[in-house]
Amino acid sequence: MLKKLLKGCLTIAMVSALAIPAMAESSINGRVRAWVENTAVKDGKSLTQMDADGRFGGTVTGEAGDWTGEGFVQIGLDPDSDPDAWSMRNFTVALSNDAMKIKLGRQYPFGIAKGQAWTAGWVNDSYWAGESVENARADYLTVGLSQVGLTVIFGMDNFGSETDDVTGDEYNMTTVGAVFDKSFGALGLAVEFTSQSFAIDEEYGDSTAKGKYDGTGLTNLALAVDFALNEQMTVAFNYDSQTKGKDFVGGTDDVTTSSMEFWFDMGLDDTMGISIGYGMKAVADGSDNTTNSTMMNFGFVKKMGVVKAGLGYIANTEKDDDTGVDAGDSALAFGFQAGF
C-alpha cells in the first residue's frame, strides 16, 4: 500500500509539473527522518527500537502583478506504526502581496512556542503554547498582515459525518482566533487568543442532543517571549492557559489547563548547538486536587548539509492525588533528519 501511494504521489507530481503554465513554478516538499530510541516507563517496561517517518507533498507558485498565488499539499507517512498509515496534513490555496497573505484550506495555523532551536524533533517535546485547541488541523481561513505581525483565524467545520455510523458524534465547530508575532530587536514577542464553540444540529442523522459537543466551548490564551543574550545564546518563556466549558457528558465543572516552559538555546557554532527545557502543567477539573505534570528536555543537533544529526532526552512525570496516579516515563534517542 505504501509503495503504491508513493508511486502515485510521484506520478501526480510529474504530471502536474507538465501541466503547470510556463509562468508558474512547482516543487516538491517534505522530510524524512529515522532514529534509534530507548523508552522507559516508571515501574514498567523498557524498549529499544528503530523508527522512521516522513512527509511528502508539492507546491506550485505563480505571480500576477503584485500578487503571488500558491497551492500547497502535503501528506504524512508513518509506516512503522501501521504499514498502511498515511495522514492528511495540509491542503491550502493562498494569495499574498507585500502587505498580506490570505490562505484558505486544511492547515495548522496555531502555535507560538519559542525556544527549542537545537532539539531533535523525534524525541524532544513541548507543551506547545497556543496549540492545545480542539481539531487544530482543520479547514480554516487565515489572513496575515505581514508588516503588523498579525494573523486572524476563522473556521467553520463539521466533524463526525465521515462514515454512516450511528454513534451520535456529528457536530459543528466554529473557531475565531488571532496571533500576534513580532520581533523588537533582541526581544521576540508572540500572543495568541482562540475561541471555539461546539454545537449540534438535530436534523443531522448522526447528532445527539446533550452530548459531549452540544453547546460547550473553549477559550485559549498563550504568550511566548524569547530574548537573545548574544549571537549564540537565547532564553525563552512559553505560557498557555485554556478553559473548556462543562458538557453534558464529561462533568459539571469547567476544565482549566495551564502550562509554562523555560528554554535555553546555545549555539556551539553555526552548525550545532544544545537546547535545555523545563515545563510545568496543571489541569483543574473541579476536584480537590489538580493533575500536575512536568517535562524536562535536552537536545543536541549537528547540521551537515541537508541532513541534521540529533541526540535527544525527555523525561515526563504526572501526579494526581484524587486518582492515585503517580506516573513517569523517559526517552533517549539518536537519529537523522533530511528536509526538502
Side-chain angles (χ1 to χ4, degrees):
M1 174 66 180
L2 181 59
K3 290 182 179 179
K4 292 181 180 179
L5 178 61
L6 288 173
K7 184 177 179 180
C9 291
L10 289 171
T11 302
I12 291 172
M14 290 186 289
V15 172
S16 299
L18 293 174
I20 292 170
M23 71 286 293
E25 297 181 358
S26 64
S27 63
I28 61 173
N29 64 73
R31 78 176 187 198
V32 59
R33 59 186 188 179
W35 65 97
V36 182
E37 179 177 358
N38 173 266
T39 58
V41 178
K42 180 182 178 182
D43 301 324
K45 65 180 182 179
S46 176
L47 175 66
T48 300
Q49 64 175 348
M50 296 181 179
D51 207 345
D53 63 20
R55 298 174 182 175
F56 184 81
T59 306
V60 58
T61 59
E63 296 184 357
D66 295 333
W67 291 88
T68 298
E70 177 189 88
F72 180 89
V73 60
Q74 189 178 76
I75 60 175
L77 306 168
D78 192 0
D80 285 331
S81 64
D82 184 330
D84 297 330
W86 60 287
S87 60
M88 299 295 184
R89 291 184 59 81
N90 292 4
F91 304 88
T92 59
V93 178
L95 285 171
S96 63
N97 58 22
D98 292 339
M100 68 168 58
K101 184 171 186 177
I102 304 169
K103 184 188 296 185
L104 179 63
R106 180 177 171 83
Q107 55 185 300
Y108 197 107
F110 305 99
I112 58 172
K114 295 185 179 295
Q116 313 169 59
W118 302 99
T119 53
W122 45 86
V123 61
N124 295 125
D125 206 351
S126 168
Y127 290 131
W128 302 114
E131 298 188 38
S132 55
V133 297
E134 292 279 331
N135 305 301
R137 192 181 307 279
D139 298 317
Y140 298 105
L141 169 68
T142 63
V143 179
L145 305 177
S146 55
Q147 298 176 2
V148 180
L150 179 68
T151 300
V152 178
I153 304 166
F154 179 68
M156 295 183 295
D157 293 277
N158 176 269
F159 298 93
S161 62
E162 297 84 0
T163 63
D164 294 328
D165 59 21
V166 289
T167 57
D169 60 350
E170 187 171 0
Y171 65 96
N172 296 321
M173 181 183 78
T174 302
T175 302
V176 178
V179 177
F180 173 81
D181 194 346
K182 200 170 181 64
S183 295
F184 304 90
L187 177 69
L189 172 65
V191 181
E192 178 182 320
F193 176 79
T194 305
S195 175
Q196 293 183 307
S197 60
F198 309 95
I200 64 104
D201 186 336
E202 293 188 56
E203 297 299 321
Y204 292 157
D206 191 15
S207 292
T208 301
K210 296 186 177 181
K212 181 178 179 180
Y213 292 103
D214 185 3
T216 188
L218 67 82
T219 57
N220 184 268
L221 177 65
L223 169 71
V225 181
D226 64 0
F227 183 78
L229 301 174
N230 54 41
E231 292 184 356
Q232 299 294 334
M233 292 187 292
T234 301
V235 292
F237 170 74
N238 300 317
Y239 174 78
D240 187 282
S241 177
Q242 176 178 291
T243 299
K244 186 170 183 180
K246 60 186 178 181
D247 57 56
F248 293 99
V249 177
T252 58
D253 294 286
D254 295 347
V255 177
T256 302
T257 304
S258 61
S259 66
M260 62 177 64
E261 289 182 317
F262 301 89
W263 284 91
F264 172 72
D265 299 323
M266 182 173 68
L268 303 177
D269 60 29
D270 292 338
T271 64
M272 64 180 176
I274 61 173
S275 291
I276 300 172
Y278 181 77
M280 298 168 286
K281 182 178 180 180
V283 180
D285 59 2
S287 60
D288 292 335
N289 296 288
T290 60
T291 301
N292 293 295
S293 306
T294 65
M295 180 186 298
M296 182 175 66
N297 281 277
F298 171 80
F300 169 80
V301 166
K302 168 67 175 178
K303 298 177 181 178
M304 296 174 285
V306 298
V307 175
K308 71 176 184 180
L311 173 70
Y313 173 79
I314 183 171
N316 297 284
T317 68
E318 180 179 343
K319 188 171 184 178
D320 187 338
D321 291 338
D322 286 328
T323 61
V325 171
D326 186 3
D329 60 76
S330 63
L332 176 67
F334 169 79
F336 302 96
Q337 177 175 314
F340 54 91

